Amino acid sequence: MARSRVLTGWNLFVFGSLFQAVVVVLADGMNFRSFYFTEEPTDIIVQKGQPAILNCSAVGDPAPTIEWKKDQLFLNLVGDTRRTILPNGSLRINNVTHSRNDRPDEGLYECVATVDNLGTIVSRTARLQVATLGRFEEEPRSTSAFLGDTAIFRCSVDAVPPAKIRWQKNREGIETSNDIDRMIVLPSGALEIRDVQMSDETSYRCKATNMEGTRRSEEERLTLVYGGSRTRTPEFVNTPQNTEVIQGQEVILECAANGLPEPSMSWWKDGQPLAPGRDPESHYSFVGNSNLRIRLASESDSGTYVCSATNVLGTFDARAELLVQVPPRFEREPSSLHAYMNTDIKFECEVYGVPFPTIEWIKNGDIITPSEYFQIVDGTNLKILGLVKSDEGLYQCKARNKIGNIQTSAQLIIVNRDVPLPPKSILTSTTSQPPTEMSGIYTSPATGLTPTYPRDLVALIRSTRFVTLSWREPRLTHGNIIAYSVYFRRQGSPRERVVNTTSVMQVTVHDLIPSTRYEFRVKAYNDHGPGESSAVAYIETQPEVQVPGPVLHLRGVAVSTTAIKVYWDPPSHRNGEIINYKIYYAQTARLNSEEDVNHIGMQFTKSGLKPYTDYTFRLVAYNENGPGVSSDEIIIRTYSDKPTEPPANVTIIPQSSRSLEITWDPPPLDACNGEITGYKIRWKQSDRRQSNPITIQGGLRSFIVGELDRDTIYEIKMAAMTVNGTGPPTDWMEGRTLENDLDETQVPPEPTSFKARPMTDTIVVLWTPPPVESNVMVRGYTIGYGIGIPDTITIDIDDPSRRHHTIKNLQPSSPYIITLRAYNNMGSGPQVYQTVNTRAESTPEPTKSLWPPVGVKAIVLSSSAVRVKWSDSTLNNKQRIPDNRIYTVMYKTNYPASAKPRYVNSTALEYTIDELKPGTMYEFTVRLTKGKKTSAWSLSVFNKTHESTPGTAPRTLTIVPVEGKPSVINLNWQPPKSPNGRITGYIIYYTTDNSQRDHDWVIMPYVGDRLTATIDDLTTDTTYYFKIQARNEEGVGPMSEIVEYKTPQDDGFGGGVKNQGTGSFVGGSGREGPTTSAKSDDDGEMSNMVIWIVVGCIVAGCFIIGALIFAIYMCNRRSDSMMAKKRKQGGAYKAPPKGAKKPGAKDVKPPDLWIHHDQMELKQMEKPPMPEPMTQIPRNPDDMKPLDDPSMDTLTKRNSFTGDDDPDLTSGDRTRPPPEGKRKPIMIPVDPQPPPPRETIATATVLPNGSVSPPLRPSYPKTQYNAPSSGSGSTTRNPNIDQPEFRVKTQFNYPMTRSKSLERPGFMTLSSSGYQSDNTTVSSDDGNKTLPPSLATTRPGHPLKSFSVPGPPPHYSSNPAAAQQKHLIKPGLPGQVSPHKKATVTVSGAKTRMQPMPVNTPRAPDVAVRVRGDNPAENADGKSFSTEDLNAEMANLEGLMKDLNAITSTELDC
């Protein structure tokens, strides 16, 4: 026992140690490992043939391995003696190779470090350049200058690194010259010589030097110019250039100008004046003559700089842009993360730089291409959807702009679900963690404790990019359900994502792909953990309209005062090839000013714009399916420019004998072209040429020019300024100083005149100034007013030149006391006053806003025009427009999404809008503008333009072969670009001869909006031509281009769509044809299988053919035996016609063909399942007799189609309405006149004894039916009646099942004298007619005769009164049913089905109809009734049926 305890304790110790080791290993596997670069390569410049070293070192555990990339390709250094990797990881190039045609060492280098089982990181990119010293880009040129001017010589050279420029004067360095203080070499390489002296007139040259060598320019001379005019306008000899500088560096903006007198130089930044000095330590300072130096440039120094040169003849400006570039820097670096599988994470990486850096994400050394699961969000962040184990590794964010690049890395570790996340791990998922993970507690699921699977997972909403799911609670929850997890993935993808929700049994899953099949399943969570997973639901997202999405990163910049350049990236969802982009732009200050222009490319410059004006830009991408989604608008302002107009309302007022005051207003807003930064004023005496300039701030509206001469005329003009320069000046305006200074030691006297003109609520005050003789200064006027009391309210007018003022907002019909007095610095002078009464208030006009138009109607005129009409409730009943009011019609459509409303103006009460899209719904609304008042928009009306035929053909007709079926193809296409209405179908044409006309092609119509079709039964190894056209309700559109396709061979090789460029067929099976070489084992097995299948088919075919021959033989023997049996009975035997029914045989219906007696028109009748009531048409009052009247002369003819008559039906059952949706039979009246003569099929001749001779055969074989009859079957004629009238009941009856009554023994019997039957005698005007019982009770027949039993036609005579033979009535054989007529069952005592109304049949001539058989001689002369003859007649009948079928082109349903 003690030993067991010891062992047990030892086991616990061992297991505890193992558990501790496992925990340590697991914990170590979840810890982030340190791995980073301690040194990264930098840009270097080396000389050709010299060694170069690119430094790199990294730290990791274990020690990382280092590799190098050049221009994104790994360097293979095996056996390379010129390039080696040093022990610390640096790359050494022993001697740099460089020539004009071979530059193997120049390029971009990256250091790649890898740690096993951890990942790979890539260093920043370093550029290696070889030093060069190229040709001079700009050499000095000879120049000339006046004494005291500034001279400039230019020099620049293409060199790496940039060359240092030195200048020589007379081939000696200017550094040794005594005039070094007047000469300076600028950063551009130019030599500036200030205050040119006579000693400067000599030769100059520049020398460029860098590590590659030295290059000297040609010598050029400076020539002095003497004499000239007394004054010269400022002229720039050096102007500032657009410059880019890296943050922290020094920059010099060059500027120099000459003039006489010497111009003063000033600098402005963004409209604000700068005050540079000569102190080199200050931020802004002068260098040389007037060059501006900016020390330690920062971002705030970026902007527009203006160099201004001014002398007495004018001011001239030169402008340049300065951009301070900032290298990339990280504002937020990505953090290493732990995450569970199937979750979504996001690495955040925020960067800044000027220009803004581009971001590149790298995983384990490979650049990440954005996809469905790896997405770049918010411009810089990386989002990974549906994590899988392979996503573990190192992720780097690399930012670069034109002046540098940086990188940082983070690690991702995928953790099993049964392991809690470390506290510092932040799961940046779009969804929450599963419930047990959120709580930090996980309990392994125990059977019976966790929930069962959720039930009935279905999709409530299925859209293009999201799906809303719903489900029911598990059957067994085992507690409270705290949450659900929905797992989903693209079908076939290993990446499964999860969306978590609370106990609500519904969730919407976003970020899906259109037309994609997804798998969804749900798990429920309770306090014990996740339960069972539901069954997988397969859901396919809806197809998306195949138009492009919005363009990305739309941005723009002003490139000049009248041009803006916009850039963009292609849409992320292109849905095909982008054809072009439509750029919409408009002024923000102007409504309805949007214009558009089409463009191909990723950037566009719009010129012809207004200076200093805000413009909006937006883009819409177009593909073959039309316009896509519009981008967001951006606002860009053009650069400012000089004003195009002078200041307005300039006034000169003498202030004293030594000063003049100038007042003005700014130029018109659209002529300012920027912010007015100042005004330049020039004045001079009228008799002098030289003027005096002065510049004042832009915010002033008046200025006093002092120190003038007494009583002198001065001319003054002024101009407005912006940062871009000075605008045009005003004309010279004159002003005269006072002869004597005005006295301001006393107040001014009262005005000389004063008038007040009252209105209803205003008073206009007019006055004249105090007398001039007083010589007292007037600074302004004060107006006071009040009701009955003066000066209740006072108004000061500071302008002494004003002579009127309007007092507003007064009360009508009120006495006001108005006072006026002048004032100066000493105070106000005496006042004058006047009492006036405002006018009485008249009936005010309605102040309410205008009523909008009413009764707006949109009348569609065509497929592209709509007339809009309306009424104006503010007009009289006649709607006459008495003024200049304007109606604005706004119309728009919701397609495409980028469409904006359009506006048209009308001065009438209607307007016709054309150029609309066919088949498109438009919205119309109208508003009224009268003067400055505008009404609200009227109620909108909608109408749709008429459709028109499709304007374009279906697009991208493609042919896809079906694998394994060389004779079957699938055709796919896209809808027309201009459907002009709803597409109702497509028509596919194909042929093997494209020279045929369209109607000779094989035509396959397809109804609906389907975009695919399958065509089979094609001939293999044959070239086909395909084209397609669309149709709508208005017709068909144009044909598409012909696509030529060759079907593969029987073995599946070859074929494909013809390439129009090469003429070869491509896109077929993609396999090579059979060769003579031995095939593989699989091919041999396949060939054996095919052989066995062929042999089996042959054997089965032989067996079937033998069985058919045996069946035919047995049928012939039976027919011969029946023939012999009938002959032994002594009667004429009639062979059963083809298709005759036998007792007990299945009821197979023969075709029912009806031939119109007059026009021989073949018709195919429908077969409703049940007999239906008849619509009867009475001809005269006598026809209204009941059918059961025995005195009525009624001949009942029966249809070859008979109904399944049930003898047990009651009268009520027979008269019930027909089933819904079935066609009613229609009575077709027959005209009473005899039909026109036609070629007879068979005729009968009346013999002298009154009998009928055998029918005569026509010249061609036709079917003839003659049968002997007994005397009871004959009919006699009443001589007292000329024309017997028959009333025929017609009804189409269609059998459903065969009636047993047709087979009853007594239906038809054969006697020694002929055929006998259970006949029914019907009374008529010419005697009694004996009819078979089936005819006596047959439902009414159609006046068309059944073609299946063509009786002998009547013999037409030229005499209208001549007798015509009636149709013969033939009874059938006993126990048989005619193959061409089906008898209707008659049950003794049964009630009549219905009481149909009688319909007259055509009258026949009076002739006695006798049935053959009474005279043996006639029988001897009659036709034979042998089987062979009857078969021949049946063959003739079948031939006639085929001829009629060909004539009518009607396919008969047997």
Side-chain angles (χ1 to χ4, degrees):
M1 177 68 76
R3 182 177 179 85
S4 299
R5 291 176 181 174
V6 170
L7 291 176
T8 303
W10 174 253
N11 291 338
L12 290 176
F13 174 75
V14 171
F15 288 140
S17 300
L18 291 175
F19 178 77
Q20 184 178 5
V22 170
V23 170
V24 170
V25 171
L26 291 177
D28 183 67
M30 291 182 58
N31 291 333
F32 299 121
R33 297 161 65 179
S34 178
F35 181 29
Y36 57 91
F37 285 106
T38 57
E39 187 176 10
E40 296 184 72
T42 57
D43 296 344
I44 61 172
I45 300 174
V46 296
Q47 287 182 275
K48 179 175 61 176
Q50 297 298 317
I53 295 180
L54 293 167
N55 295 320
C56 178
S57 61
V59 173
D61 185 19
T65 58
I66 301 296
E67 295 178 286
W68 282 86
K69 278 184 177 182
K70 176 182 177 292
D71 298 331
Q72 299 294 325
L73 298 177
F74 280 99
L75 292 177
N76 185 7
L77 303 180
V78 178
D80 192 339
T81 60
R82 196 171 60 87
R83 297 175 297 186
T84 58
I85 298 179
L86 301 179
N88 65 346
S90 300
L91 176 65
R92 174 183 173 85
I93 303 176
N94 294 330
N95 58 321
V96 174
T97 303
H98 185 83
S99 65
R100 177 174 299 179
N101 300 323
D102 186 20
R103 301 179 180 182
D105 295 329
E106 271 195 338
L108 301 176
Y109 288 83
E110 292 173 317
C111 178
V112 181
T114 304
V115 171
D116 294 337
N117 300 323
L118 179 58
T120 301
I121 56 176
V122 182
S123 71
R124 65 169 173 250
T125 304
R127 179 184 297 274
L128 185 148
Q129 293 178 288
V130 178
T132 59
L133 183 62
R135 298 177 180 273
F136 281 102
E137 294 179 339
E138 189 174 13
E139 291 190 79
R141 293 182 180 179
S142 296
T143 185
S144 60
F146 289 93
L147 283 173
D149 281 356
T150 300
I152 299 291
F153 285 101
R154 303 185 185 280
C155 180
S156 62
V157 65
D158 181 18
V160 176
K164 183 175 182 180
I165 304 297
R166 291 181 174 88
W167 283 88
Q168 293 179 340
K169 177 181 178 182
N170 290 329
R171 299 195 176 188
E172 293 183 0
I174 62 172
E175 297 85 359
T176 62
S177 173
N178 295 328
D179 301 321
I180 186 60
D181 57 335
R182 294 188 297 106
M183 297 181 181
I184 183 174
V185 180
L186 300 174
S188 65
L191 173 63
E192 179 185 278
I193 306 174
R194 294 183 293 115
D195 190 16
V196 173
Q197 305 296 324
M198 294 182 63
S199 60
D200 297 331
E201 187 175 17
T202 184
S203 60
Y204 296 85
R205 70 176 180 180
C206 66
K207 182 175 66 172
T209 304
N210 71 354
M211 61 191 306
E212 183 65 15
T214 301
R215 188 180 295 273
R216 293 179 176 86
S217 69
E218 297 293 333
E219 289 185 330
E220 299 295 340
R221 288 189 62 84
L222 172 62
T223 303
L224 294 180
V225 179
Y226 300 95
S229 61
R230 295 173 53 192
T231 58
R232 289 180 285 121
T233 58
E235 180 180 0
F236 286 103
V237 293
N238 196 10
T239 57
Q241 304 297 316
N242 293 339
T243 305
E244 294 179 352
V245 62
I246 299 177
Q247 185 181 27
Q249 294 183 352
E250 182 181 275
V251 60
I252 295 178
L253 298 178
E254 303 173 6
C255 184
N258 294 323
L260 191 62
E262 181 181 357
S264 61
M265 308 298 293
S266 60
W267 282 90
W268 303 67
K269 177 184 180 295
D270 296 332
Q272 300 299 323
L274 300 178
R278 293 292 174 177
D279 183 5
E281 297 299 323
S282 62
H283 189 65
Y284 295 109
S285 61
F286 279 121
V287 174
N289 186 11
S290 55
N291 305 292
L292 178 65
R293 178 174 60 185
I294 304 175
R295 181 173 173 270
L296 300 177
S298 62
E299 281 189 77
S300 60
D301 292 322
S302 296
T304 302
Y305 288 81
V306 175
C307 175
S308 180
T310 304
N311 67 4
V312 295
L313 296 182
T315 301
F316 295 87
D317 301 326
R319 169 182 163 275
E321 295 290 332
L322 174 64
L323 176 63
V324 179
Q325 298 176 331
V326 180
R329 65 172 182 266
F330 286 111
E331 300 287 336
R332 174 181 294 181
E333 298 185 22
S335 301
S336 296
L337 299 175
H338 292 93
Y340 291 110
M341 290 183 62
N342 303 331
T343 56
D344 302 343
I345 65 164
K346 182 169 68 174
F347 284 112
E348 295 184 350
C349 182
E350 296 182 7
V351 297
Y352 180 77
V354 179
F356 192 82
T358 58
I359 296 296
E360 185 177 68
W361 280 92
I362 301 172
K363 179 201 171 189
N364 289 334
D366 297 325
I367 298 175
I368 296 176
T369 301
S371 64
E372 177 186 359
Y373 299 105
F374 289 85
Q375 301 175 358
I376 304 299
V377 296
D378 301 328
T380 59
N381 299 329
L382 175 65
K383 186 176 183 181
I384 307 176
L385 308 180
L387 289 176
V388 295
K389 191 65 177 177
S390 60
D391 292 333
E392 274 192 340
L394 294 171
Y395 290 82
Q396 288 181 269
C397 175
K398 197 169 187 178
R400 71 175 72 233
N401 62 12
K402 61 193 303 183
I403 59 172
N405 65 92
I406 54 176
Q407 63 83 26
T408 184
S409 61
Q411 185 179 356
L412 173 63
I413 297 178
I414 306 297
V415 181
N416 293 330
R417 293 226 174 239
D418 55 353
V419 178
L421 292 177
K424 293 184 179 180
S425 294
I426 301 174
L427 187 63
T428 56
S429 173
T430 56
T431 58
S432 59
Q433 304 174 45
T436 55
E437 296 153 5
M438 289 186 293
S439 62
I441 302 174
Y442 182 82
T443 303
S444 299
T447 304
L449 296 178
T450 58
T452 58
Y453 58 88
R455 298 172 294 166
D456 302 335
L457 175 62
V458 295
L460 296 180
I461 301 175
R462 187 168 55 94
S463 184
T464 57
R465 296 186 179 274
F466 71 89
V467 170
T468 300
L469 302 172
S470 177
W471 59 88
R472 293 173 57 199
E473 191 177 60
R475 189 178 301 276
L476 300 176
T477 60
H478 297 132
N480 294 328
I481 298 297
I482 60 176
Y484 292 93
S485 291
V486 179
Y487 296 85
F488 66 98
R489 66 179 176 183
R490 195 173 177 181
Q491 190 173 11
S493 172
R495 240 176 235 282
E496 189 173 46
R497 301 172 58 191
V498 61
V499 174
N500 300 304
T501 181
T502 57
S503 57
V504 178
M505 292 174 287
Q506 181 174 319
V507 71
T508 298
V509 181
H510 296 274
D511 299 328
L512 304 181
I513 300 177
S515 301
T516 304
R517 190 175 177 85
Y518 285 88
E519 301 175 3
F520 294 87
R521 61 188 181 93
V522 184
K523 281 185 180 181
Y525 287 79
N526 62 9
D527 295 332
H528 301 282
E532 300 176 7
S533 175
S534 68
V536 176
Y538 297 92
I539 301 172
E540 185 173 354
T541 54
Q542 295 283 358
E544 189 176 38
V545 179
Q546 299 300 309
V547 296
V551 299
L552 302 178
H553 308 135
L554 176 61
R555 56 206 182 274
V557 62
V559 295
S560 69
T561 59
T562 59
I564 290 176
K565 190 173 186 179
V566 290
Y567 309 81
W568 63 90
D569 295 330
S572 57
H573 302 284
R574 304 185 190 183
N575 295 323
E577 182 181 359
I578 300 298
I579 299 175
N580 67 285
Y581 296 91
K582 180 166 284 189
I583 303 161
Y584 295 86
Y585 62 94
Q587 291 187 42
T588 56
R590 292 182 56 191
L591 297 177
N592 310 323
S593 63
E594 187 174 65
E595 301 179 31
D596 58 76
V597 62
N598 292 322
H599 181 70
I600 299 175
M602 295 293 108
Q603 59 184 19
F604 172 75
T605 300
K606 175 57 185 173
S607 57
L609 305 178
K610 295 183 177 181
Y612 202 69
T613 304
D614 289 334
Y615 285 88
T616 61
F617 284 83
R618 63 185 182 94
L619 263 74
V620 176
Y622 279 71
N623 63 7
E624 58 184 6
N625 298 317
V629 181
S630 174
S631 67
D632 294 332
E633 288 185 345
I634 60 173
I635 299 177
I636 309 171
R637 176 178 293 178
T638 53
Y639 285 138
S640 58
D641 198 0
K642 298 184 296 185
T644 54
E645 293 187 18
N649 302 325
V650 180
T651 305
I652 302 175
I653 303 172
Q655 287 292 317
S656 67
S657 61
R658 301 295 303 272
S659 64
L660 295 173
E661 183 180 14
I662 308 171
T663 61
W664 65 88
D665 291 329
L669 185 61
D670 57 352
C672 290
N673 298 335
E675 182 180 355
I676 300 298
T677 58
Y679 294 94
K680 291 185 178 180
I681 302 175
R682 290 181 175 277
W683 71 92
K684 64 182 183 69
Q685 294 185 11
S686 61
D687 56 350
R688 294 184 182 180
R689 181 177 179 182
Q690 185 174 355
S691 62
N692 300 299
I694 188 173
T695 301
I696 61 176
Q697 295 181 1
L700 300 178
R701 295 294 178 267
S702 64
F703 181 74
I704 297 177
V705 180
E707 299 182 0
L708 304 179
D709 294 338
R710 186 185 304 269
D711 193 21
T712 303
I713 298 177
Y714 283 88
E715 292 181 347
I716 299 175
K717 68 177 182 180
M718 65 181 303
M721 296 173 54
T722 63
V723 294
N724 304 87
T726 305
T730 62
D731 295 332
W732 288 104
M733 296 177 291
E734 293 184 350
R736 190 178 190 123
T737 57
L738 298 177
E739 182 179 0
N740 298 307
D741 290 335
L742 296 178
D743 184 13
E744 203 171 358
T745 60
Q746 56 180 342
V747 297
E750 62 183 25
T752 55
S753 65
F754 173 56
K755 294 182 180 179
R757 297 178 179 176
M759 301 293 179
T760 302
D761 56 354
T762 61
I763 296 177
V764 179
V765 181
L766 303 97
W767 68 90
T768 56
V772 179
E773 296 81 9
S774 62
N775 290 327
V776 177
M777 174 65 68
V778 175
R779 298 291 182 181
Y781 298 89
T782 300
I783 299 176
Y785 64 94
I787 300 178
I789 302 175
D791 297 339
T792 303
I793 300 175
T794 58
I795 301 173
D796 289 334
I797 300 175
D798 298 330
D799 184 4
S801 61
R802 288 281 300 273
R803 299 293 182 264
H804 63 85
H805 182 75
T806 301
I807 305 174
K808 301 179 180 179
N809 301 322
L810 303 180
Q811 296 182 9
S813 302
S814 300
Y816 281 90
I817 300 176
I818 311 299
T819 63
L820 175 68
R821 53 189 174 271
Y823 69 87
N824 57 19
N825 293 333
M826 292 298 297
S828 298
Q831 64 181 11
V832 293
Y833 64 91
Q834 187 174 357
T835 302
V836 294
N837 291 325
T838 53
R839 298 180 183 179
E841 185 177 12
S842 59
T843 303
E845 297 182 358
T847 58
K848 61 182 180 180
S849 60
L850 296 175
W851 286 96
V854 297
V856 180
K857 298 178 181 179
I859 304 171
V860 179
L861 302 179
S862 66
S863 60
S864 62
V866 171
R867 178 176 297 162
V868 183
K869 292 185 175 181
W870 59 89
S871 298
D872 192 342
S873 59
T874 63
L875 300 177
N876 54 22
N877 294 334
K878 295 183 179 181
Q879 293 289 292
R880 292 182 179 177
I881 301 176
D883 46 27
N884 294 327
R885 60 184 65 195
I886 296 176
Y887 301 93
T888 302
V889 182
M890 179 184 71
Y891 62 98
K892 65 177 180 179
T893 180
N894 292 328
Y895 179 83
S898 59
K900 283 195 172 183
R902 294 188 175 272
Y903 304 85
V904 291
N905 292 330
S906 173
T907 57
L909 295 175
E910 65 177 37
Y911 190 87
T912 300
I913 304 173
D914 52 9
E915 298 183 358
L916 302 179
K917 294 182 180 179
T920 304
M921 181 68 70
Y922 282 89
E923 176 186 359
F924 302 89
T925 182
V926 187
R927 72 179 178 188
L928 167 64
T929 301
K930 183 179 179 182
K932 296 183 179 181
K933 293 184 178 180
T934 301
S935 71
W937 291 103
S938 67
L939 295 178
S940 298
V941 295
F942 296 83
N943 213 335
K944 187 177 182 181
T945 54
H946 294 320
E947 294 184 358
S948 64
T949 57
T952 57
R955 295 164 292 171
T956 62
L957 177 62
T958 57
I959 301 175
V960 180
V962 178
E963 185 69 25
K965 297 181 180 180
S967 61
V968 181
I969 62 171
N970 290 327
L971 278 83
N972 302 321
W973 62 89
Q974 289 294 325
K977 185 175 182 180
S978 301
N980 295 341
R982 186 179 66 88
I983 297 297
T984 59
Y986 295 91
I987 304 175
I988 298 175
Y989 297 78
Y990 68 94
T991 183
T992 57
D993 182 9
N994 62 348
S995 62
Q996 293 179 336
R997 292 176 295 182
D998 289 346
H999 61 78
D1000 293 330
W1001 291 43
V1002 179
I1003 301 175
M1004 296 185 64
Y1006 290 90
V1007 179
D1009 55 356
R1010 59 187 296 181
L1011 300 177
T1012 183
T1014 300
I1015 299 180
D1016 51 10
D1017 295 335
L1018 300 179
T1019 305
T1020 57
D1021 198 18
T1022 304
T1023 300
Y1024 283 87
Y1025 303 90
F1026 295 86
K1027 57 185 178 181
I1028 188 174
Q1029 64 180 167
R1031 65 182 178 188
N1032 56 19
E1033 295 181 355
E1034 295 299 321
V1036 296
M1039 293 284 187
S1040 67
E1041 295 291 334
I1042 295 177
V1043 178
E1044 187 174 350
Y1045 174 79
K1046 186 175 182 180
T1047 54
Q1049 303 173 7
D1050 292 333
D1051 55 4
F1053 294 99
V1057 180
K1058 185 175 183 180
N1059 188 322
Q1060 300 299 328
T1062 62
S1064 60
F1065 290 92
V1066 297
S1069 64
R1071 300 175 295 175
E1072 297 181 358
T1075 62
T1076 58
S1077 61
K1079 297 183 179 180
S1080 64
D1081 295 340
D1082 295 340
D1083 295 339
E1085 294 178 1
M1086 184 62 68
S1087 300
N1088 294 336
M1089 184 179 296
V1090 172
I1091 292 173
W1092 280 110
I1093 292 174
V1094 173
V1095 172
C1097 292
I1098 294 175
V1099 172
C1102 294
F1103 178 78
I1104 293 173
I1105 293 173
L1108 291 175
I1109 294 173
F1110 178 76
I1112 294 172
Y1113 173 75
M1114 295 301 297
C1115 290
N1116 289 337
R1117 288 192 60 185
R1118 182 176 181 183
S1119 177
D1120 293 341
S1121 63
M1122 292 178 62
M1123 184 69 172
K1125 182 177 180 181
K1126 293 301 181 180
R1127 287 180 178 176
K1128 289 179 181 180
Q1129 293 178 359
Y1133 174 74
K1134 185 174 182 180
K1138 188 176 181 180
K1141 295 182 180 179
K1142 297 179 181 180
K1146 188 177 180 180
D1147 186 12
V1148 180
K1149 307 178 186 63
D1152 193 10
L1153 309 177
W1154 295 84
I1155 304 177
H1156 196 285
H1157 282 224
D1158 295 338
Q1159 302 178 8
M1160 295 295 290
E1161 179 182 355
L1162 182 63
K1163 300 182 179 295
Q1164 179 177 0
M1165 309 305 295
E1166 297 182 358
K1167 305 176 183 180
M1170 295 295 294
E1172 300 170 353
M1174 178 69 60
T1175 304
Q1176 293 83 13
I1177 306 174
R1179 291 296 184 91
N1180 51 57
D1182 295 337
D1183 295 340
M1184 302 303 293
K1185 296 179 181 180
L1187 292 176
D1188 57 355
D1189 188 355
S1191 63
M1192 180 181 295
D1193 182 12
T1194 304
L1195 175 62
T1196 59
K1197 294 186 180 181
R1198 61 183 308 277
N1199 195 342
S1200 63
F1201 284 100
T1202 59
D1204 184 14
D1205 298 337
D1206 188 356
D1208 298 333
L1209 291 175
T1210 62
S1211 176
D1213 296 331
R1214 293 166 183 161
T1215 58
R1216 65 173 178 242
E1220 186 177 356
K1222 303 298 182 181
R1223 182 183 299 175
K1224 281 189 171 184
I1226 303 174
M1227 292 294 295
I1228 304 178
V1230 181
D1231 297 332
Q1233 67 271 15
R1238 64 188 176 98
E1239 188 176 7
T1240 60
I1241 298 177
T1243 59
T1245 307
V1246 181
L1247 300 179
N1249 58 4
S1251 62
V1252 181
S1253 67
L1256 301 179
R1257 299 274 300 180
S1259 59
Y1260 54 88
K1262 295 290 180 180
T1263 303
Q1264 175 179 339
Y1265 295 95
N1266 295 325
S1269 303
S1270 63
S1272 62
S1274 63
T1275 59
T1276 60
R1277 174 180 176 273
N1278 189 348
N1280 297 327
I1281 301 176
D1282 295 336
Q1283 295 181 348
E1285 181 175 341
F1286 297 96
R1287 297 177 176 87
V1288 183
K1289 298 183 293 180
T1290 61
Q1291 171 74 39
F1292 301 128
N1293 299 322
Y1294 305 100
M1296 296 300 292
T1297 58
R1298 182 174 180 178
S1299 176
K1300 295 181 179 180
S1301 300
L1302 295 177
E1303 304 174 12
R1304 60 190 178 90
F1307 183 64
M1308 287 186 180
T1309 58
L1310 183 64
S1311 66
S1312 60
S1313 60
Y1315 290 97
Q1316 300 290 337
S1317 62
D1318 298 335
N1319 297 332
T1320 300
T1321 303
V1322 181
S1323 176
S1324 67
D1325 295 340
D1326 58 349
N1328 295 331
K1329 302 181 186 292
T1330 302
L1331 302 176
S1334 61
L1335 297 180
T1337 60
T1338 302
R1339 298 293 297 273
H1342 200 282
L1344 303 179
K1345 181 175 177 59
S1346 173
F1347 175 72
S1348 59
V1349 190
H1355 177 73
Y1356 297 103
S1357 173
S1358 59
N1359 186 2
Q1364 293 181 348
Q1365 179 179 349
K1366 297 181 180 179
H1367 295 299
L1368 298 179
I1369 303 174
K1370 293 195 305 175
L1373 291 175
Q1376 292 182 344
V1377 180
S1378 171
H1380 308 293
K1381 298 181 71 176
K1382 298 191 181 95
T1384 304
V1385 179
T1386 303
V1387 180
S1388 177
K1391 295 182 180 181
T1392 306
R1393 286 182 179 273
M1394 60 180 295
Q1395 299 297 330
M1397 300 179 66
V1399 178
N1400 293 338
T1401 60
R1403 296 195 175 194
D1406 296 337
V1407 61
V1409 179
R1410 297 183 60 186
V1411 180
R1412 291 180 53 122
D1414 293 343
N1415 194 338
E1418 294 175 2
N1419 294 335
D1421 297 336
K1423 296 293 181 180
S1424 172
F1425 293 92
S1426 64
T1427 304
E1428 291 77 10
D1429 292 340
L1430 289 176
N1431 289 339
E1433 297 297 332
M1434 288 299 297
N1436 291 337
L1437 176 61
E1438 291 177 356
L1440 179 60
M1441 292 174 63
K1442 293 179 180 179
D1443 294 340
L1444 292 174
N1445 188 22
I1447 293 172
T1448 59
S1449 299
T1450 304
E1451 182 179 358
L1452 302 178
D1453 183 12
C1454 295

